[in-house]
Amino acid sequence: FTFIYKTGMMKSISFALLASALLGGANGFAPPKLQSAKTADLTKLNINPDGSTGWDSFCGNDSLELPSGEGARKFRRTVYTHDDWVLHRSQDRFIDYVAAIFKSGVYKNLDNEVRAMTFVAGFVVVWNCITGGYTDLEGIQQAALRPDLPVLSMPLSAFTLTSPSLGLLLVFRTNSSYQRWDEARKNWGMNINHTRDLVRMANVFYDGTGVSPEKRAEDLNHVALCTWAFVRSMKRHLSPEEEDETQFRAELFQKLPQQQAEMIINAAHRPNRALQDLSYAIDSLPMHFMRKNEIQSAATIFEDNLGSSERILTSPVPLFYSRHLARFLAVWLVFMPLGLYDAFSGSWNHAMLIPATAVISTMLIGIEEIGTQLEEPFTVLPMQAFCNKIYNWCMEIVSWTPGDNGRIVNSVKTEHAFFTSGDAPAMNGAANGYAAPPVAAAPAPVYEPAPVAAAPVEYAAPPAEYAAPPAPESEGPSQEELNRQWAAAAMGRR
């Protein structure tokens, strides 16, 4: 009452408006009361059966509110088609993105932070109105209520000097997080490529000599199912238990023999057990060991992809870096209204500082939030979609047989017969339509005649002029005597 009595009703209304701006400045990004992930009618969304989403999965559903925070990550598993890319390149994309700004899951996660920064900006405006004077709604400048208190302000140069460092920290944060996401996506891309390659080689290298078509189909189907079981176990290994455990058990019991499914589920490290089953299945195939080694090399790549993914899952960006960035950004934004206060002197009582602080805080904290969301990539990757595609492709590959395209299958070449499983040079898969090459008849042996001893040849004596001259007479010791002397001298030296 004292305040109203001294300043008048109009002044009280001015402060009431400022207080309203202070309390509600960040409500634009505050999420309304959301339905839980269990009760939300997700059938209104254009979500694929495998849980993946496209560009326009959330368009035209204004009445549906998705869960924020961790619950929103499952709706970010995007798999694009050609139609999605057309929309992605649309010239109206900026209009669409800006129109949906208040529905952004990233901005909804920043509600508490943006509210805090907006509160600081509102506090600075109200404080400086009390200590430095203000303008009422009629445009009349009023004196300060507490001139003895200081006006809150800082030079803008302090933020100009520190903003490059903050920008570098944010860029490194988002780049390192994107590299982790990209590596995880490449690991799954390698899984997709090598599952198809492994099953293709098993189908081609299979030696069906003496094997019935039913046995061949059973062996190759087992290889394909073991291949799928590994990637599905890897997906479960990298996913939260509460999200995927029930579905994982149901899929294994549906597709695998009961004992094999139980062995994988009860294993301490499920992907290792599934990979071991795959190695057993490859080793039992009837083919040459060199071809088995070639197929086993693809299984080794699966182990590398699994280890790389485990490293990403268990090793975050160094915590001291993330924490320093969060502290730097928080302190920088808390003091930012002090530096921008004079820049908004043209607005009524510097009131535009409040929404400006809310927008700037949302954009800068949003960059840090994106880096945090990308840092653990597996819960935003469409791994279930990858597993389903791997299963379909592998089962389709093993259903193909040589010659089913109408082309005559050539018989094996002689130089390739070494790679068959049998001793005879038979073609891989005689039961699949291959014909063994004809064996050439051995050539008749060729016998050489026995050698005939030649008669000795008598050579005539050379003419006298070519005869060796007689040895000259010498009075010294003979050569034999010299040899004995040299031998005796050598024995003496020893």
Side-chain angles (χ1 to χ4, degrees):
F1 293 102
T2 303
F3 173 77
I4 297 176
Y5 177 79
K6 290 184 177 179
T7 60
M9 184 61 67
M10 294 304 298
K11 297 178 184 179
S12 64
I13 294 176
S14 300
F15 280 103
L17 292 174
L18 288 176
S20 176
L22 172 63
L23 296 176
N27 285 338
F29 298 104
K33 294 183 179 179
L34 304 180
Q35 296 175 336
S36 65
K38 297 181 179 179
T39 60
D41 186 9
L42 302 182
T43 59
K44 297 180 180 180
L45 298 176
N46 299 323
I47 297 180
N48 300 322
D50 55 17
S52 61
T53 59
W55 185 90
D56 59 344
S57 294
F58 307 103
C59 295
N61 295 288
D62 297 334
S63 60
L64 178 63
E65 292 293 346
L66 295 175
S68 59
E70 288 297 314
R73 291 180 68 82
K74 64 178 65 177
F75 303 108
R76 295 173 179 168
R77 298 163 185 173
T78 307
V79 177
Y80 262 27
T81 62
H82 291 291
D83 295 336
D84 292 318
W85 281 113
V86 172
L87 296 173
H88 187 83
R89 296 187 294 265
S90 172
Q91 299 302 312
D92 298 332
R93 61 185 182 274
F94 288 101
I95 298 176
D96 296 331
Y97 296 156
V98 173
I101 190 171
F102 296 111
K103 297 182 180 180
S104 171
V106 173
Y107 298 154
K108 288 179 180 180
N109 292 343
L110 309 179
D111 179 45
N112 294 333
E113 293 84 352
V114 175
R115 281 180 181 271
M117 302 307 165
T118 307
F119 175 83
V120 172
F123 176 80
V124 170
V125 170
V126 173
W127 177 273
N128 289 344
C129 285
I130 296 174
T131 60
Y134 61 95
T135 303
D136 59 21
L137 293 178
E138 296 177 352
I140 301 175
Q141 184 67 28
Q142 302 293 336
L145 300 177
R146 294 293 303 273
D148 56 315
L149 297 177
V151 175
L152 299 179
S153 179
M154 284 183 63
L156 189 59
S157 58
F159 301 92
T160 304
L161 292 175
T162 57
S163 58
S165 300
L166 178 60
L168 289 176
L169 289 173
L170 289 172
V171 168
F172 180 81
R173 180 74 169 92
T174 53
N175 283 352
S176 60
S177 297
Y178 176 78
Q179 289 174 0
R180 292 166 60 88
W181 180 92
D182 185 59
E183 183 178 356
R185 180 61 182 88
K186 288 179 179 178
N187 288 341
W188 276 96
M190 292 285 287
N191 284 343
I192 294 174
N193 296 343
H194 287 280
T195 50
R196 294 182 292 195
D197 195 40
L198 185 151
V199 176
R200 176 189 61 81
M201 289 190 292
N203 192 5
V204 174
F205 293 164
Y206 191 94
D207 184 7
T209 305
V211 180
S212 65
E214 293 77 12
K215 176 61 175 174
R216 176 185 184 275
E218 180 184 354
D219 291 343
L220 293 178
N221 283 342
H222 181 59
V223 171
L225 287 175
C226 289
T227 304
W228 167 84
F230 166 74
V231 294
R232 187 61 182 88
S233 299
M234 179 175 171
K235 189 262 182 184
R236 169 61 192 90
H237 187 65
L238 302 173
S239 301
E241 179 179 359
E242 62 276 7
E243 176 184 331
D244 192 42
E245 180 65 22
T246 302
Q247 183 178 356
F248 171 73
R249 291 172 177 263
E251 290 187 33
L252 255 61
F253 282 116
Q254 178 185 3
K255 294 181 171 65
L256 299 180
Q258 181 177 357
Q259 184 175 355
Q260 182 181 359
E262 290 177 352
M263 290 296 294
I264 295 176
I265 292 174
N266 297 330
H269 195 286
R270 291 167 172 175
N272 280 348
R273 175 65 208 195
L275 192 60
Q276 189 70 27
D277 290 343
L278 176 59
S279 298
Y280 289 148
I282 295 171
D283 194 61
S284 63
L285 295 177
M287 62 181 63
H288 193 271
F289 76 93
M290 294 184 66
R291 290 185 166 180
K292 290 182 182 179
N293 292 342
E294 186 68 22
I295 301 177
Q296 291 284 10
S297 63
T300 302
I301 295 177
F302 295 156
E303 191 71 49
D304 295 338
N305 294 337
L306 175 61
S308 175
S309 299
E310 288 176 332
R311 172 177 51 82
I312 296 174
L313 181 65
T314 58
S315 302
V317 173
L319 295 179
F320 50 82
Y321 182 90
S322 302
R323 291 168 180 170
H324 175 70
L325 172 59
R327 294 161 183 161
F328 191 161
L329 182 59
V331 173
W332 198 88
L333 290 175
V334 164
F335 287 96
M336 182 187 66
L338 304 181
L340 295 179
Y341 181 80
D342 292 335
F344 288 95
S345 59
S347 61
W348 179 71
N349 291 322
H350 303 254
M352 289 303 297
L353 175 64
I354 299 174
T357 300
V359 173
I360 295 174
S361 299
T362 301
M363 298 301 130
L364 290 180
I365 303 177
I367 297 175
E368 196 275 340
E369 174 68 14
I370 291 173
T372 303
Q373 293 292 329
L374 285 176
E375 187 176 3
E376 188 276 285
F378 299 107
T379 50
V380 293
L381 281 176
M383 295 189 294
Q384 185 63 44
F386 297 155
C387 293
N388 293 348
K389 290 180 179 179
I390 288 173
Y391 174 80
N392 294 332
W393 292 332
C394 289
M395 298 305 294
E396 182 184 29
I397 291 174
V398 297
S399 68
W400 298 333
T401 56
D404 60 1
N405 59 351
R407 183 176 177 83
I408 299 176
V409 179
N410 297 326
S411 59
V412 67
K413 297 181 180 179
T414 305
E415 60 269 23
H416 296 162
F418 172 77
F419 295 100
T420 59
S421 62
D423 297 332
M427 179 59 187
N428 281 5
N432 302 330
Y434 288 114
V439 180
V446 178
Y447 300 99
E448 297 182 359
V452 179
V457 179
E458 297 181 357
Y459 295 96
E465 60 269 19
Y466 293 104
E473 297 182 358
S474 175
E475 298 179 356
S478 64
Q479 183 64 39
E480 185 178 358
E481 182 65 22
L482 289 175
N483 290 342
R484 284 196 297 268
Q485 293 178 2
W486 291 339
M491 292 295 293
R493 287 195 296 272
R494 291 181 182 176

